[in-house]
Amino acid sequence: MFNLIENDIHLGEKADDKQQAITAVAQAFINKGLVEEGYLQGMLAREQQTSTFLGNGIAIPHGTLDTRHLVKQTGVQIFQFPNGVKWSDDNIAYLVIGIAAKSDEHLAILRQLTHLLGDEEIAEKLAKTTNPQDFISLFNGNIVDAAFISLDVDTNSLLTLTAINAAKLQEAAAVDTQFVSEVIASPALPLGNGIWVNDSAVGNSKNAIAVARPKQAFQHNNKQIAAVVTVASVDEKVDNLLVNLLDPQCQQVLLKGNAEQVQAALQGKAVTVAETAAPATQAEPAVAPAAENASAAPQAAPGQLEATFIVKNEHGLHARPSAVLINEVKKYKATIQVRNVDRDTAFVSAKSLMKVVGLGTTKGQRLCFVAEGEDAEQALKGIGEAINAGLGE
């Protein structure tokens, strides 16, 4: 698995032939410290064994088994050749994705390319775009893809809905097996209207959201289950979509719309669905109640700093102020956790929008932050200033 960054991309390149293109890729590997000298020979030898052209104008040159020992760190370098490079027979490569892999990690990378190989339009756009960020967005695929949305699932099991979502994300190489195990074993967060969200702090490879909706809402531990949303996240780009998920109109589409409508609503687009009778089961509150036997507030451990702030927002930490708070927290390298003192909740990651919203914080309630790391003191100061300033409201 890999998370593409701008330094991995080389747009608008030129090469007279395949060997020149592969040489450029190998040099990029060396410049980035991914391989040792000599890996080029392995890449050229691999090409002699069989062409690495995959289709849709995409080639994936990589080394042989004999040159794996020259790989210091697994990675990719992507070269765009808008004018094309003759690769084999009549095949022209416009996108050359060089792979340096220490083991069979290249197979996982190949899985991430499946949406490119199956979509000629995306491959064509990648061959022409001049904007690195647009390239990354196209390359990684949509965060919310219609293929990640499963509707009318014949089940009365929360676990089954979660497993379906996790499998979809794994097939798209957005998560690994560690994510799947974690998300199945961990409790989901109720957002209201029978919509539940789950995620994992480990095993995320790229941003993606999967949705599973049963044929009929059902009860699980006296709570309504009408839809399950599973989130894979590697950076803050997924947060805007999570804010959309908290919008009542988006939730209505999530519960009643078709796959294309659900996809559009999560992307923030205006969607209207036909009104239907409300489900017989009672909708759950927007946040989970505090545990009946909640323990006393834990104390900060040695090396940690702690600060408590009162939320002043008239409507508490709903979507928008929560997003502002998350953006402030993510400025800092420190590990930061937060709990709602007045609801006696457990500590959760202050960098997770879902978990912060799940604290159910209303006006006048206290949030206790615990920070640990080199900029912990600076983080708590910045968080306090943001909260006292009203978090954008």
Side-chain angles (χ1 to χ4, degrees):
M1 307 292 180
F2 68 98
N3 184 34
L4 194 63
I5 60 176
E6 286 193 28
N7 287 341
D8 296 329
I9 305 167
H10 308 265
L11 302 181
E13 297 290 332
K14 296 180 180 180
D16 295 332
D17 53 36
K18 176 170 63 173
Q19 180 167 337
Q20 193 175 96
I22 294 175
T23 300
V25 173
Q27 189 59 51
F29 282 146
I30 293 172
N31 293 344
K32 200 169 182 181
L34 298 177
V35 304
E36 297 178 4
E37 297 282 351
Y39 192 69
L40 170 61
Q41 283 65 41
M43 296 177 74
L44 294 174
R46 176 66 180 79
E47 204 65 41
Q48 289 295 320
Q49 294 172 3
T50 182
S51 173
T52 58
F53 186 85
L54 295 182
N56 270 0
I58 300 171
I60 54 160
H62 53 280
T64 61
L65 292 175
D66 295 339
T67 53
R68 276 187 179 176
H69 68 284
L70 298 176
V71 178
K72 299 178 182 178
Q73 180 181 338
T74 296
V76 299
Q77 289 293 289
I78 301 179
F79 279 69
Q80 179 204 64
F81 297 101
N83 296 326
V85 178
K86 184 176 180 181
W87 210 260
S88 60
D89 300 326
D90 295 328
N91 297 319
I92 305 297
Y94 298 94
L95 200 64
V96 177
I97 305 172
I99 301 175
K102 300 179 70 174
S103 60
D104 289 333
E105 294 158 312
H106 69 287
L107 297 177
I109 293 174
L110 288 176
R111 284 196 293 271
Q112 288 186 253
L113 305 180
T114 54
H115 76 287
L116 302 182
L117 299 175
D119 195 320
E120 186 175 341
E121 183 179 352
I122 292 179
E124 185 176 347
K125 289 179 179 179
L126 285 170
K128 296 178 179 179
T129 184
T130 58
N131 185 298
Q133 284 303 317
D134 288 346
F135 187 98
I136 291 173
S137 296
L138 286 166
F139 189 90
N140 286 337
N142 292 326
I143 294 178
V144 184
D145 194 296
F148 300 162
I149 300 172
S150 306
L151 305 181
D152 297 325
V153 181
D154 190 8
T155 185
N156 287 330
S157 168
L158 174 61
L159 179 60
T160 297
L161 296 173
T162 298
I164 289 173
N165 283 345
K168 292 279 188 181
L169 295 176
Q170 187 176 25
E171 287 172 7
V175 304
D176 61 17
T177 54
Q178 193 175 10
F179 177 101
V180 175
S181 299
E182 180 72 17
V183 80
I184 288 176
S186 302
L189 168 72
L191 290 185
N193 294 318
I195 299 172
W196 294 68
V197 179
N198 49 27
D199 65 352
S200 168
V202 297
N204 298 270
S205 300
K206 63 181 181 182
N207 295 325
I209 295 178
V211 178
R213 192 175 73 197
K215 281 186 176 181
Q216 293 184 336
F218 59 90
Q219 293 286 319
H220 174 80
N221 292 337
N222 295 321
K223 299 180 184 295
Q224 178 181 259
I225 309 294
V228 176
V229 181
T230 304
V231 181
S233 173
V234 295
D235 56 38
E236 69 280 357
K237 293 175 185 175
V238 78
D239 286 351
N240 289 336
L241 277 76
L242 295 178
V243 170
N244 295 334
L245 183 60
L246 299 170
D247 181 81
Q249 291 183 336
C250 179
Q251 291 188 3
Q252 181 186 29
V253 176
L254 189 66
L255 295 173
K256 302 175 182 178
N258 59 34
E260 289 72 22
Q261 290 171 329
V262 171
Q263 178 186 20
L266 287 173
Q267 291 171 334
K269 300 175 183 177
V271 178
T272 301
V273 294
E275 289 291 337
T276 60
T281 49
Q282 184 179 3
E284 290 299 311
V287 294
E292 293 181 1
N293 298 314
S295 58
Q299 300 297 315
Q304 295 178 332
L305 297 180
E306 180 180 314
T308 299
F309 308 103
I310 298 175
V311 173
K312 300 179 178 180
N313 299 69
E314 185 66 29
H315 302 290
L317 289 191
H318 58 87
R320 187 168 65 178
S322 292
V324 172
L325 175 59
I326 295 300
N327 288 336
E328 176 64 30
V329 173
K330 286 184 174 180
K331 292 179 182 179
Y332 308 102
K333 297 179 180 179
T335 299
I336 305 172
Q337 294 186 304
V338 60
R339 66 186 300 270
N340 185 324
V341 176
D342 294 285
R343 294 185 65 247
D344 208 4
T345 68
F347 274 106
V348 298
S349 170
K351 296 183 180 182
S352 169
L353 180 61
M354 290 182 298
K355 290 181 171 59
V356 169
V357 172
L359 294 175
T361 308
T362 59
K363 182 180 179 181
Q365 290 188 335
R366 296 166 293 167
L367 290 180
C368 175
F369 291 84
V370 172
E372 183 176 11
E374 57 182 280
D375 58 356
E377 184 175 357
Q378 181 184 358
L380 293 180
K381 180 180 178 182
I383 291 169
E385 291 175 350
I387 291 176
N388 289 331
L391 296 173
E393 293 189 330

